Amino acid sequence: MPHLLPQIAHMAAALIEVPAAFAFNRLSQAEFVGGWALGSMGMTPVGGGVWVGHSLFDGAPAHVEIRPAPDLGLIDYAVGTAETRRPRIFIRVTPGPVTGRGDADCVVTLHALRSAQTEDARWTQTCIAHETEILLIKAQLERAYGEARD
């Protein structure tokens, strides 16, 4: 079926060799997110559950609220300005057994929703960044888990 709408969402996923609970916990921590999120690197708290990081692309600040829902394996990242943030980025952490794998594995899926105001070039950048970020998430989670076990 042909696309009836312009591309309005993007998804990148990876099989991660860590338990789902470990992945979920780390992906809910702003300090960890600030190590892989290219649009909000080095996040620091600004108060009220809001964090600010900076884009590696243009240095612009990005304000982020992290809203974990552990019972769903879902983490919403509301992103935007200090005044206004929207939950357009989210991660689903799926335990290995759900996909026929073992308890030591999980699938992490990174989703982005395109706002009506996002220009094509910016959307392309976001999609390519997320393809890179899922690789960073995999590498950083697996390294952190290995270090935690040692």
Side-chain angles (χ1 to χ4, degrees), residues 27-103:
L27 292 165
S28 298
Q29 297 173 6
E31 296 87 350
F32 187 79
V33 174
W36 59 260
L38 300 176
S40 54
M41 296 295 293
M43 292 203 296
T44 57
V46 294
V50 178
W51 297 76
V52 66
H54 291 84
S55 171
L56 284 183
F57 296 101
D58 61 8
H63 289 77
V64 181
E65 288 177 61
I66 300 173
R67 303 172 181 168
D71 54 326
L72 299 174
L74 181 66
I75 306 164
D76 272 340
Y77 301 93
V79 296
T81 67
E83 298 79 25
T84 306
R85 290 164 303 285
R86 303 281 186 254
R88 290 196 304 259
I89 307 296
F90 60 97
I91 284 181
R92 167 85 58 183
V93 179
T94 304
V98 172
T99 60
R101 295 171 172 82
D103 288 329

